[in-house]
Amino acid sequence: MQYTIQDIQSIIGAKGIVVENTIIENLVIDSRKIIFPNSSLFFALHSDRRDGHTFIEEAYQRGVRNFVVEKYFDFNKYPLANFLLTNDSLEALQTLAAKHRSQFQYPVIGITGSNGKTIVKEWLNQLLCDDYTIVRSPRSYNSQIGVPLSVWQMNEHHSLAIFEAGISKTGEMNHLQKIIQPTIGILTNIGEAHSEGFTSDSEKLLEKTELFSNAELIIYCKELISDENSLPAAARKISWSKNPDATVFIKHIVKKTTSSNLEIQYQQQNLTIDIPFIDDASIENCITCICTLLALNISWSSITERIQLLHPVAMRLQINKGLNNCSVLNDSYNNDVSSLSIVLDYLKQQSGNASTTVILSDILQSGIEEKQLYQQVAAELKQRKIDKLIGIGNNISKYHSIADFSFTNQNGEIITQKEYEGKIYVADFFFTTCGSICPKMTTNLVEVQKAFINNPKVMLLSHTVFPETDSVAVLKEY
């Protein structure tokens, strides 16, 4: 699904100054996080603390040429830019996301509740990744701004979407419902979070369940909803409870040292399952996930097997101290393009001027054609100036290539990648004052050279890692 700037102008009903009808692929609200400026549309949002219009200059300097704004100013300062003028930039962002959402007919899960939204979302992603190609909210993108940015990720390669919806006062869920338009609604719980925005828990519940107004299926704990008639009558409902009047009857919970055993009754079947948690919150979130999988007709044998692999959502953006004054950023819980983009931004924020290395395994079940997928990965790494990539796996290794280069050799000649096109070549790295491993490596490479001296398809290329001291003359002598 592609949108030109003129398409977007029509969707959001904006006045405009359109210099060039650019194709828009990325929506941005932060001038510090611009990765692909040529295809980005910057929304100048304003709040009580900050006005996005003050960052237009910075975004323009970073290469952005498409803007949604709320106020007139001297557009002539930015002669190459397209400007769409609206009454409300946030409303325009939400309208665009809602239109984008309406283009797709696959299932969309909308999750709301006071707590547990992110955990349930991440667990469902893990539990269902074998059955669907999933797009989901990054981190906790569940606000009036985060939800439209999440929904914008949807494309034709996906077959399931999972989005969070968080609110802090009345009137907010109506906007999020129009954007997410969930076909499946999940209510995790009702707690104290954001209570200051509501007069009572019942008002909070009524506001949250507005997300489900057009849902085909609703999953919830029966104790949370005293009047189930308040839910949409046309929706199929799956409730769970420790009382037998629920769809999923939790008959017994036996907590062990590191796991719990659940005895469940569902559709007149008695089922048992071990889950790898003993705390109440995790058990409840697990039950919610089990109900969702049952609703999606995942076999009980698959459910029991997959639940065993769940673990706390703690392996996201963890920074650990490593050797040699290194820091290790662990984001191994998920491996997909959306998660990669988030962690790369965080890596660059945390690294400052230090060098950066990314260790990345094959990305499976992305729904994107393999070559296109790794071209996108390469672009993400290049845009953020990652110093080194260690790729692990058959797929990612296929698409490794050496970047274009231009260096001076020991004869003062300029050597580029063109001299090596269509060749098999061995690249090694040394410095002329190295007294340990470099002489051994060079001696061994002499044997490689002797073996292939008459084969024009095989070449050797030795790089000095200290070009500031290893001059042409020094290299010649070496």
Side-chain angles (χ1 to χ4, degrees):
M1 182 61 61
Q2 283 192 335
Y3 301 88
T4 66
I5 192 69
Q6 288 181 341
D7 291 334
I8 293 174
Q9 179 182 5
S10 175
I11 291 168
I12 65 177
K15 300 176 183 177
I17 299 174
V18 177
V19 178
E20 182 178 354
N21 195 24
T22 313
I23 292 176
I24 300 300
E25 296 176 348
N26 308 286
L27 308 183
V28 294
I29 59 169
D30 190 332
S31 58
R32 299 166 299 178
K33 297 180 180 179
I34 295 167
I35 307 300
F36 302 105
N38 293 336
S39 59
S40 292
L41 176 60
F42 182 88
F43 283 78
L45 306 179
H46 74 271
S47 65
D48 295 337
R49 296 182 299 169
R50 190 166 295 169
D51 185 352
H53 295 80
T54 61
F55 300 101
I56 289 175
E57 173 74 28
E58 181 181 351
Y60 188 82
Q61 293 301 322
R62 288 176 177 263
V64 176
R65 294 294 181 265
N66 302 281
F67 299 86
V68 174
V69 299
E70 296 178 358
K71 51 179 84 168
Y72 282 102
F73 51 89
D74 186 4
F75 296 139
N76 293 324
K77 289 176 60 179
Y78 312 101
L80 302 178
N82 298 321
F83 285 95
L84 304 184
L85 183 64
T86 72
N87 294 325
D88 189 321
S89 295
L90 176 58
E91 183 179 328
L93 173 63
Q94 294 176 340
T95 299
L96 176 59
K99 174 64 175 179
H100 182 64
R101 160 64 184 95
S102 68
Q103 307 300 311
F104 304 98
Q105 303 305 314
Y106 48 78
V108 175
I109 299 176
I111 306 173
T112 191
S114 299
N115 306 104
K117 295 184 293 294
T118 301
I119 293 173
V120 169
K121 176 199 69 184
E122 295 297 334
W123 282 354
L124 286 176
N125 177 68
Q126 181 180 342
L127 293 165
L128 293 169
C129 64
D130 288 341
D131 307 286
Y132 298 91
T133 301
I134 301 173
V135 58
R136 69 192 191 284
S137 308
R139 291 182 289 182
S140 298
Y141 272 37
N142 57 34
S143 67
Q144 299 291 308
I145 298 172
V147 167
L149 294 178
S150 298
V151 169
W152 183 255
Q153 299 176 106
M154 295 177 72
N155 64 47
E156 63 276 9
H157 298 297
H158 301 120
S159 57
L160 176 68
I162 310 175
F163 300 124
E164 301 177 42
I167 55 172
S168 57
K169 58 185 180 181
T170 58
E172 290 185 336
M173 190 60 86
N174 179 52
H175 299 294
L176 301 187
Q177 190 280 329
K178 292 176 181 177
I179 301 168
I180 299 174
Q181 303 167 40
T183 58
I184 301 171
I186 296 176
L187 178 66
T188 56
N189 62 25
I190 297 294
E192 296 300 318
H194 304 297
S195 292
E196 65 277 6
F198 305 93
T199 58
S200 64
D201 282 350
S202 59
E203 183 182 56
K204 184 194 294 187
L205 175 64
L206 189 64
E207 178 73 16
K208 286 184 179 295
T209 55
E210 190 170 342
L211 178 64
F212 313 142
S213 56
N214 292 314
E216 299 167 9
L217 168 66
I218 304 172
I219 298 164
Y220 57 96
C221 173
K222 195 173 182 67
E223 277 73 23
L224 294 178
I225 299 180
S226 57
D227 182 11
E228 292 179 317
N229 291 324
S230 63
L231 297 174
R236 176 187 170 202
K237 302 170 184 66
I238 293 186
S239 62
W240 67 267
S241 173
K242 295 179 182 178
N243 296 314
D245 59 343
T247 315
V248 178
F249 173 29
I250 311 300
K251 297 176 71 174
H252 299 291
I253 298 176
V254 179
K255 295 182 180 180
K256 305 175 185 178
T257 306
T258 59
S259 63
S260 300
N261 178 265
L262 276 59
E263 185 178 344
I264 295 172
Q265 188 176 79
Y266 174 66
Q267 292 184 341
Q268 299 181 333
Q269 296 182 74
N270 289 317
L271 308 167
T272 60
I273 187 169
D274 287 318
I275 62 174
F277 307 102
I278 58 174
D279 65 287
D280 291 341
S282 295
I283 291 172
E284 290 180 4
N285 291 329
C286 243
I287 293 171
T288 297
C289 290
I290 291 169
C291 290
T292 306
L293 269 62
L294 287 170
L296 293 173
N297 298 316
I298 305 299
S299 70
W300 186 250
S301 59
S302 294
I303 293 173
T304 56
E305 181 180 336
R306 297 177 191 182
I307 288 289
Q308 291 298 314
L309 301 177
L310 292 181
H311 44 74
V313 184
M315 295 171 65
R316 295 242 51 199
L317 305 177
Q318 283 183 323
I319 295 182
N320 304 303
K321 283 294 179 185
L323 299 176
N324 300 323
N325 201 32
C326 289
S327 295
V328 179
L329 177 57
N330 179 10
D331 192 56
S332 55
Y333 186 84
N334 294 299
N335 188 14
D336 54 56
V337 178
S338 298
S339 298
L340 177 65
S341 180
I342 293 167
V343 74
L344 290 179
D345 285 339
Y346 192 62
L347 174 64
K348 294 303 289 184
Q349 291 171 17
Q350 297 297 317
S351 63
N353 295 322
S355 63
T356 51
T357 298
V358 170
I359 303 173
L360 183 65
S361 65
D362 286 344
I363 297 176
L364 305 176
Q365 299 168 321
S366 68
I368 304 173
E369 189 272 324
E370 192 176 89
K371 186 175 182 180
Q372 180 186 348
L373 167 67
Y374 289 108
Q375 286 175 339
Q376 185 175 342
V377 168
E380 298 274 0
L381 296 168
K382 184 177 180 180
Q383 285 288 338
R384 294 168 178 85
K385 296 181 172 62
I386 300 301
D387 297 295
K388 184 187 296 183
L389 168 69
I390 300 173
I392 301 171
N394 294 329
N395 298 342
I396 194 171
S397 302
K398 276 192 258 176
Y399 300 99
H400 170 70
S401 62
I402 303 297
D404 292 352
F405 60 85
S406 178
F407 298 124
T408 305
N409 71 1
Q410 74 274 17
N411 299 318
E413 302 164 336
I414 300 298
I415 302 296
T416 72
Q417 74 281 354
K418 291 183 179 179
E419 277 79 15
Y420 293 83
E421 282 182 358
K423 311 286 187 181
I424 297 170
Y425 71 91
V426 179
D428 69 286
F429 300 85
F430 73 100
F431 56 103
T432 58
T433 56
C434 168
S436 56
I437 189 65
C438 298
K440 296 176 183 177
M441 179 174 63
T442 301
T443 300
N444 290 333
L445 283 172
V446 167
E447 298 303 314
V448 175
Q449 180 171 289
K450 287 178 182 177
F452 294 97
I453 192 70
N454 295 316
N455 189 337
K457 293 185 178 180
V458 179
M459 303 178 73
L460 277 67
L461 180 60
S462 298
H463 302 260
T464 174
V465 295
F466 287 147
E468 60 273 18
T469 56
D470 289 348
S471 64
V472 169
V474 172
L475 288 176
K476 183 72 172 177
E477 183 179 355
Y478 183 80

